Amino acid sequence: MHPSLTRHAPPRGFTLIEILVVIVILGVLAALIVPNVISRPDEARVTVARSDIAAIMSALKIYRLDNQRYPTAEQGLAALVAKPEQPPVPANWKPGGSPLAVCSPSVARLTFWTAVVIVPVTSGSNSASAPR
């Protein structure tokens, strides 16, 4: 047969070098993308904490506008959701809190944290009446 008439079949499959190049490219992409995806939950927690703090600050500002002063340290943030009994008792305190307390999940969660963390318990003086 004549050499110009013979047909050679094109090679099939990938060479080892081509496969290694693809693996290296995928590895580089994974090294760049995976840390960004993994850190997202931490960023979300930070964002939620910032919005919670902003909501509490807004509730405190509304409390001050209504009562001409911020709650005392003894009254704590519990004064945002329940009328304080320690002096000075606010004359313009609104039952149910401010509109912010109704519409904001951050301030709604505050009722839980107020009961757990924020309400001060004094040791030695009538601890039976302390909220639990």
Side-chain angles (χ1 to χ4, degrees), residues 59-60 62-72 75-86 88-99 101-102 107 110-111 114:
L60 282 168
I62 291 172
Y63 182 94
R64 182 175 178 262
L65 287 172
D66 289 343
N67 302 299
Q68 287 75 42
R69 68 170 52 110
Y70 289 111
T72 63
Q75 292 169 339
L77 293 177
L80 299 176
V81 292
K83 187 171 184 174
E85 296 176 7
Q86 296 102 356
V89 177
N92 294 330
W93 191 87
K94 294 183 174 46
S98 67
V102 175
V107 178
L110 177 64
T111 58
T114 300

Side-chain angles (χ1 to χ4, degrees), residues 113-129:
W113 287 112
T114 300
V116 174
V117 177
I118 299 171
V119 175
V121 177
T122 57
S123 61
S125 63
N126 197 8
S127 61
S129 65

Side-chain angles (χ1 to χ4, degrees), residues 12-37:
R12 294 185 175 181
F14 298 105
T15 65
L16 179 62
I17 301 227
E18 291 171 334
I19 293 173
L20 288 175
V21 167
V22 169
I23 290 174
V24 167
I25 290 172
L26 290 176
V28 168
L29 287 175
L32 294 174
I33 293 173
V34 169
N36 291 333
V37 173

